[in-house]
Amino acid sequence: MNRLSYIIRRLIQMIPVFFIVTVLVFVLIRCIPGDPALTMLGDRATHEMIEAYRQKIGYYDPLWLQYFIFLKDLLHFDLGSSLRYSEPVINLILERLPVTIGLTVSVVFFTVVIGFPLGFMAGKKRNKLPDYIIRIYSLFGLSAPQFWVGLMLLLMFGVKIKLFPVSNWGDTLPEHIMALILPGITQALGIMAVIIRNLRNNVVDISGTSYVTFARSKGLSEGRIDLRYIFRNALLPTTTILSLWIASLLGGCIIIETVFNLPGLGALMINSVLSRDYSVIQGGVLIFVITVLIINLITDIIYSMLDPRVTLN
Amino acid sequence: GSSASSSNSSAKGSEAASSGSSSADASGTLKDRFTMARPIDSDNLDPVTNQYKYDIWVLASICEGLVKIGDDGSTVEPCLAKSWDKSEDGLTWTFHLLPDIKFSDGTPVTGADWVFSFERAMKHDESIFYTYCKSIDSVEAPDDTTFVLHLKYVDPSILTNLCMCNMVVQSKAYYDKVGEDNYINGPVATGPYYIKDWKKGEYLLLAKNPYYRDTVNMNEIMLKVVSDAQTRELMLQSGEVDLITEVPFNNINDLNSQDGITALGLPAGQERYFIINHRHKPFDNEKVREAIRDAVDIPQIINVVLAGQGQEANTFIPNACMYWDDSVPYPKRDVEKAKELLKEAGYPNGFSFEYCIVSGDSVQEQIATIVKQQLAEVGITANIVVYENAAFRDKYANNGLDFYVGQWTIQSNDPTSIADYWFIYDQSDAYMSGYKNDQLTKLNELAKHELDDNKRAEYFKQMQETFYKDAVAIPIYWGTFPIAYSDKVKDFVQSPLGYYRFQYVKCYK
Amino acid sequence: MSEYTLKNNNSEVLLSVKHLRKEFPIKQTIFDIIQKKEKKKLTAVDDVSIDIYKGENLGIVGESGCGKTTFAKSAIQLYKPNSGEVFFEGIDITKVSRRELRKLCRNFQMIFQDPFSSLNPRMSVRDVLSEALTVHKIVEKSKVNTKIANLIDMVGLNIDQLDRFPGEFSGGQQQRIGIARALALNPKLIIADEPVSALDVSIQAQIINLIKDLQERLGITFIFISHDLRVVRYVTTRVVVMYLGKIIETADTEKLYRNPLHPYTKILLESNPNLDPRKREKKSLIEGEPPSPIDLPKGCRFCKRCKYAMDICHEKEPDLKEIRPGHKAACFKL
Amino acid sequence: MENNILEVKNLKMHYVSKYETVKAINDISFSVKKGETFGLVGESGCGKSSVCKTLLQLLPPNAKFMGGSIKYKGKELIGLSNKELQKIRGREISMSFQELMTALNPVTKVKEQIYEQFIGLKMTKQEKYAKAVNLLKLVGIPSPEQRLEEYVHQFSGGMRQRIMIAIALAAQPSMLLADEPTTALDVTIQDQIIKLINSLKETLGMSIILVTHDLGVVSQMCDSIAVMYAGSIVETGDTLTIFSKPRHPYTEGLIRSMPKDDGSKDRLESIEGAPPNLNNLPKGCSFAERCKYATEICINQMPPLKEVGENHYSKCFHTDLLINSKGLIEL
Amino acid sequence: MDIRCSAVADTSAKSFIEKKKQNILIDTFILILKSKALVIGLIIIGIMLVLALFPSVFTKFDPNYIDGNAIMLSPCTTHWFGTDMYGRDLFSRVIYATRLDLFIGVSAMFVPFAIGTSLGLISGYYGGKVDALIMRIVDILMSFPYMVLCIMIVAIIGAGIKSLLIAMWLVDWKNYARLIRSEVMIVKNSDFIQAAKVMGFSDKRILLRHILPNVLSSALVYAASDIVVCMMASAGLSFLGIGVQPPTPEWGALIALGKTSLSKSWWQSFFPGIFLILSGFGFSLIGDGMSDLLRTRGR
Ligand SMILES: Nc1ncnc2c1ncn2[C@@H]1O[C@H](COP(=O)(O)OP(=O)(O)OP(=O)(O)O)[C@@H](O)[C@H]1O
Ligand SMILES: Nc1ncnc2c1ncn2[C@@H]1O[C@H](COP(=O)(O)OP(=O)(O)OP(=O)(O)O)[C@@H](O)[C@H]1O
Ligand SMILES: [Mg+2]
Ligand SMILES: [Mg+2]
């Protein structure tokens, strides 16, 4: 199928999902107990103050009206402004988005750099010592709590060896990069386990396919076969899994963000839920949904480019 | 004026607060910037509409008013007003202002700024600080060095109230420029520091006010937000920050034992209570409440949870406040008596209730863990239920909580506001406990308008005694601000009210 | 052989397929929809009509992809045909409800092309057979085991292989399990879709013999799909030649083999490799690939590869007409 | 012998797994002459593909070489290093695989898969392209320029078979192992492939080992054949002889179970029973169990490969009984 | 060849059934024994199960008893794993936590597994509108940030394992549904399903007897490692302070509690961590072993 038309169709398909998610967030967030007035005003608020605040934020407006206003603003790319920070939501999000994206990139980087070779090696040396070591290591990665690993790494590389900052998002790119290394490794450790296992199985499967044997019969060198045939083909399904993880990373790094004190979207979202900062939650989820859908689209397209068998529909 | 009763705590406060002043060596050179990490960011630095302690504490280094609370937290000292006169009837106060005061942007402070600032505070009746300026009828500034207050009625605590952050002088020109909506990003004022950069949720950077009339040591103060306590500690250990706040109590000793780090609890005007909802059975029964008071073992709580960094409390007024009464009995564990009381109340086999805690508050969680066992020993079953913050508040506002730990942090050493919160039922359902006692409400009202210090003290004594007698709530402890800092830091001052006095702090290279 | 011809013409019709057409849709792009392009489709079976007589064995041959399987599957409603009717003993099974169809199903069974994939890899032979027997209550509960033993015996498998899984059998054995399963329901018609193409000659012979025996003994009607022309000649009584979804020739087996009319049939028969090593042809008889069933050419479907093609062949589609008694073909040259 | 391009002696190979040992090749010897098409015939699973893969040493990890020798142009292939083998594979001996649907890399263009054969040869891009186009033309793929840019899944089965042959021929090997090149295809395409390989053999002067179980294909292509059963060669000789005068019961059975071309409807003679399990071979002749001539000795002893005619060998104790057996064709 | 219609005696056939069935069990058992991963995994989880069922046999301490005299003891002969800041015995807390943790892991996996499998089956088999609907729901769940949803649920029903479980139940099925659906799509086109249709079987029977057993294996393997992920998620929630209600012992919560003094009292998070990792190991090994087994059983 024509790629462009495919993209357009996928974008059109996103609209209902997107729409339903907005409704869902909108309703859900207002269904849960806790009202912004109480959280914003704190312990000492009197009944009158609470009342006044509620009036101000339109707490008593019917839900559909609130939603309507939300949609109307949305059409002007206005996500409203944060109750807590009194700042346009879009600014809040845009401020934190780079951190989250940076973190995601770092995680993917380490997953790829460490996980791919290990997974490949485990598959090549199937049921030999390296395979066992790598598999046990990956199991460890899967079942060690992130915050624990994170704190341990900080203790080791932040405090004892002072190689990386414990927490310094900083202002310059090198500072940002330094700040992202340890969190990237920590989060990658868990994901890597999945990637390694998946890649290993793929390598085992692909090594046994007849096109690899056929390639050998052509007299190609082992290195070329490993790289061009086994690794490349084994990677395809793994990338899909990786992309699923990337999507969930964008919204779910809260623990890493907390441990490493990164000013990312996860922390913002969680804090906003905790303080019932409605517009931030709505805006955040919206941005998140769009990002996830677009990432999915991109992976599908990339996948179809890498694997000609996959048709886009 | 200050009362004698608070003097002992203030003395202790000033000693501990000005850390390590003895070894003030001239050899070291100062760093450019002092960095501290705290768990939560300020939300709103509008002096009038802010709500959180994290706002007020910082504002204390940004804004100044006519008078200020001393660093020990108990005395009222002159600030921008060098002296003041009070009219005969006590309704007109005339303040004589320091000359040539400038805002941090270099513009001079004028009478118009004063009037604007006060009128704004008086206009915002939804502000939680509104009560402090309730008694003011009007203000005027005959010239740039004189400022006059007209009161509606005689207000004995007017001077302490004037120390509050909502009655500080701010630049009207700046306000007009940015408008009400953006004002939460902070005012332009006259304090030793001004807000240089603020990335919400990430950091707040203060810079030295070049026009400040006094010495200010550090060029910049960086307040980082680091929500995880463990990460804060690691940052201190790695030298990324010079000072951290809200150290978990049980780590204080550990941190202290490390080279180059000092950890301690600064005295705080902070009190925790077990708050019992009188509207829920069986807590409507006074005997039951007393039984609980007898069942809990507060020294153990202080030992385990605070690692000893706290002081047993006896009444609803923190000991850092005026009119605190030492003679009110302290809760004391007596298991037999508690059982007896339960039997009398008709619960010989105990009962069970919901002990509500807010998620993420480790102190609350730890207290709950211990109290659960202590209560179990008299036959009462406490089911610990964790609520996420907003849900907790919702339940709290709708009388849904059975039993929880409340915390009050004072903002002024006058106990009026806390007494209001406990005894003006309509305002807050008596700290949401549902306790209603008209007599106490009346006493509180009397104390508010009484100019005679002794008489006021007497009213407050009565309130405290009744509070104990009715077992309204169970005071637990007066807390401390647990901080830890590197030995490079000298003279960090946080007053018992929590105010940061950044002008004193020195941080060496 | 003439006796078969006679027999067929006198028998009653068991299954009558009328103007059957099956198309597979091709997905459209958004632009196609916007531009209101006509929906593309793959025509796998195009207007096929044929009567199948009781007791006969009808062979279907043709190039791979010409729609043999699709025809068989749409005839018994495994694929919903796009148009056309199929009468089974006078009942139009394209119109009956799903429920009724389910009941009718036991009368016609199918042996699938790929013996392995036609068996559930997680059901043992016993499970497969007993399920068929019990769901339709073919025999009493107590007799199920006996019946299974009979069936297994009938297809020449050993009873102690009953609890094995399909993966543990060879292709020929798997094919026999498929046959046993089909026989379990006592069907009147069995469609055997290339039942021997996956097998070796030696096993192939066993299956062929089995089919012949079944037909003789139980009088079951067969539709036998294969591209092995030798086997078809051996097994069937009548043959249908398909090309690109259409029947192009049909006749009694021997008639057709002895005297093929359609050019394609001729090529097909000659393509069958000669068993005599001394008779080797140098040149391939057929060139090129069949056209795509998506964009069917106008005119005769074979004309592009036909060396006798005339102008009219590119213009019009020839009808299937009776050239000789009992021998129909679709070609203008005839 | 001088004109033998390949000589295989006493080849043995087993597949060893945790659970069983599959004796896939049991003592096989044969030789292939220059320019000859040699057929390996036998029912599926008897080890034909395993022989081919052993020749090129392309065996899966669980395969265990048990002995024997493979001499190609007088040079011993067993024991060669991987590097040396790489020079033989594709350049000298190449192979087209049975698994035509899966033997080509699905994610690279056909062009690249052909180009890979030119690695090491100093060729410019244009030369490579021209050669690739030529190859596709040679195997009869229309519009090769366009087809080179396509991926494998865009080709039909017959096309894939041709592409595989094209790749196998790209480096102009002296020998082609064609593993069931026609099995999965229908008669017309099968016919095309047969004719294609036959003509290629003539123009390029290759030797071919053709693996199949279709006797029709054998008759159209092979000069001599070896009939395999359960991992060993049971009969070998030139095609005409074996087709006309089979001297092994299994060969005879195979031939008899073919339906005749003449329309006769006599009952087919099938070989009863199934081939033995390769992980549990009988002590004696592996065909004994299904053999109508079998006697005690067949069960207890392994028969030797006896010469029964000129260049005609049979692995049976009872070749004499078969002296008059009827073949597929009359001479 | 003649057709042997010999009537096989009823009884002999019957006796054959029983014998064979037994053999299948034994065969399976032997196969299991041959897979080292599976055996080790089963042993680990078996031990865990014993600990979970009879914790009191292994320790004499009450896991919740606060002993003011035993605060923060390092591991010693009485307190094998040391004590925590309240003076509670860590060994007994870790042991008593086993039951809850296994429960969390298994139930957080099982319900989504059941829901996802059913919906995946239906979606894949019927296709069309039902499929579109289910897949849109999956899309929505996929694109909804998980932690935010988790906290919302915590807000609605309170903190604790209950909300964690509900959150997982609500969200996690999507993975199973996708997995199963994609396999059903393949299997439903295979000939044996058509064979079942032509045999006149009902949809229910085809779905449950014919499709399900063929698509379940990959979901099962996924489920085994999913258990670990679920247990990890509960540890994460404890870290955020919305995990189990204190003082209930739970590994994640124990680690989270211990992490406040990592450098001083390493044992507090170390031992529960070891148990968490060990059970993770156990379940993953079972998953690996199962995939091996299913592979050998398959073809
Ligand atoms: N489910 C399907 N969806 C789309 N196209 C199909 C489907 N099944 C078959 N086709 C197409 O319909 C045409 C006829 O296929 P069919 O399987 O009926 O051929 P056949 O004659 O049985 O071939 P073979 O000899 O290879 O079995 C082919 O072009 C095929 O690609
Ligand atoms: N990798 C392997 N591991 C174990 N056994 C194997 C392996 N490959 C093949 N076999 C077994 O070895 C025997 C010979 O296999 P081979 O593929 O050589 O047979 P074949 O004659 O080529 O059969 P076909 O005609 O089906 O291609 C078979 O019984 C097969 O099951
Ligand atoms: Mg077919
Ligand atoms: Mg083979």
Side-chain angles (χ1 to χ4, degrees), chain A:
Chain A
M1 194 189 281
N2 180 332
R3 233 162 240 155
L4 186 68
S5 76
Y6 173 75
I7 292 171
I8 291 174
R9 210 178 65 168
R10 280 283 294 261
L11 289 173
I12 291 171
Q13 274 178 359
M14 279 180 197
I15 293 172
V17 172
F18 183 76
F19 192 72
I20 293 171
V21 172
T22 63
V23 176
L24 208 72
V25 179
F26 203 85
V27 173
L28 248 177
I29 188 94
R30 280 165 179 79
C31 279
I32 60 181
D35 104 40
L38 291 174
T39 37
M40 294 298 160
L41 294 181
D43 270 344
R44 294 174 194 191
T46 57
H47 294 314
E48 297 89 61
M49 284 161 55
I50 291 170
E51 210 50 41
Y53 192 82
R54 285 177 176 169
Q55 294 291 353
K56 196 178 101 190
I57 62 167
Y59 185 80
Y60 293 113
D61 289 348
L63 210 57
W64 63 264
L65 184 64
Q66 295 184 37
Y67 183 66
F68 182 75
I69 292 170
F70 166 68
L71 276 190
K72 203 187 77 198
D73 289 345
L74 195 62
L75 284 180
H76 302 108
F77 299 101
D78 177 7
L79 293 174
S81 67
S82 159
L83 296 178
R84 180 155 170 216
Y85 297 113
S86 300
E87 230 181 278
V89 169
I90 193 82
N91 290 0
L92 282 174
I93 289 173
L94 287 183
E95 227 165 65
R96 283 165 174 79
L97 204 58
V99 182
T100 300
I101 291 175
L103 182 57
T104 310
V105 169
S106 164
V107 174
V108 173
F109 175 79
F110 284 108
T111 312
V112 166
V113 163
I114 307 174
F116 281 10
L118 286 186
F120 181 69
M121 193 150 93
K124 284 293 283 183
K125 305 259 174 219
R126 185 178 175 212
N127 290 339
K128 298 211 183 90
L129 190 68
D131 181 25
Y132 286 123
I133 293 174
I134 291 169
R135 280 165 77 188
I136 286 176
Y137 155 79
S138 77
L139 283 181
F140 174 81
L142 194 66
S143 37
Q146 270 173 14
F147 59 86
W148 192 71
V149 174
L151 287 172
M152 280 306 185
L153 287 181
L154 278 185
L155 197 63
M156 225 140 60
F157 296 105
V159 178
K160 296 266 152 65
I161 318 182
K162 297 218 165 107
L163 210 56
F164 301 102
V166 174
S167 155
N168 179 25
W169 175 239
D171 306 309
T172 59
L173 190 64
E175 276 177 340
H176 293 339
I177 290 174
M178 285 305 270
L180 286 173
I181 291 177
L182 286 185
I185 292 176
T186 310
Q187 179 82 53
L189 220 61
I191 299 170
M192 224 187 285
V194 181
I195 297 295
I196 287 179
R197 287 154 70 91
N198 182 275
L199 192 58
R200 174 187 175 273
N201 286 347
N202 294 343
V203 167
V204 169
D205 287 348
I206 304 267
S207 298
T209 54
S210 47
Y211 60 81
V212 170
T213 323
F214 183 61
R216 243 177 228 129
S217 88
K218 298 201 297 192
L220 299 183
S221 69
E222 281 303 308
R224 190 182 177 88
I225 290 174
D226 280 353
L227 206 69
R228 298 288 300 259
Y229 283 76
I230 302 181
F231 187 61
R232 186 174 167 206
N233 292 32
L235 218 53
L236 288 174
T238 311
T239 45
T240 323
I241 293 190
L242 192 62
S243 85
L244 284 181
W245 274 101
I246 294 174
S248 69
L249 274 181
L250 284 169
C253 270
I254 167 75
I255 290 174
I256 294 290
E257 282 176 16
T258 311
V259 171
F260 292 92
N261 199 46
L262 293 171
L265 266 183
L268 176 73
M269 293 294 289
I270 298 295
N271 287 334
S272 307
V273 178
L274 289 180
S275 57
R276 305 291 185 271
D277 200 341
Y278 290 170
S279 38
V280 179
I281 306 172
Q282 286 155 10
V285 170
L286 226 62
I287 298 283
F288 181 75
V289 170
I290 294 174
T291 324
V292 169
L293 291 177
I294 287 177
I295 285 185
N296 285 350
L297 175 60
I298 291 174
T299 18
D300 284 355
I301 290 171
I302 290 179
Y303 196 74
S304 84
M305 290 198 290
L306 291 178
D307 188 344
R309 287 168 298 181
V310 175
T311 48
L312 292 170
N313 55 34

Side-chain angles (χ1 to χ4, degrees), chain C residues 154-156 176 179 183 205-215 222, chain D residues 267, chain E residues 1 3:
Chain C
M154 200 187 293
V155 296
R176 291 172 202 222
I179 296 174
L183 290 176
Q206 294 172 15
I207 301 281
I208 292 171
N209 286 340
L210 175 65
I211 287 176
K212 289 211 86 159
D213 288 334
L214 286 172
Q215 209 174 4
F222 269 89
Chain D
R267 195 177 177 77
Chain E
M1 183 178 111
I3 296 180

Side-chain angles (χ1 to χ4, degrees), chain B residues 45 53-65 68-69 79 163 165 168 190-193 206 212 495 497-503:
Chain B
L45 289 179
K53 51 186 186 185
Y54 298 104
D55 306 335
I56 308 166
W57 293 356
V58 173
L59 276 174
S61 280
I62 297 170
C63 309
E64 289 173 317
K68 68 171 185 189
I69 294 275
C79 189
C163 300
C165 60
V168 293
T190 60
Y193 287 93
L206 305 181
Y212 194 61
S495 90
L497 306 183
Y499 300 159
Y500 295 126
R501 302 291 189 206
F502 288 132
Q503 62 266 43

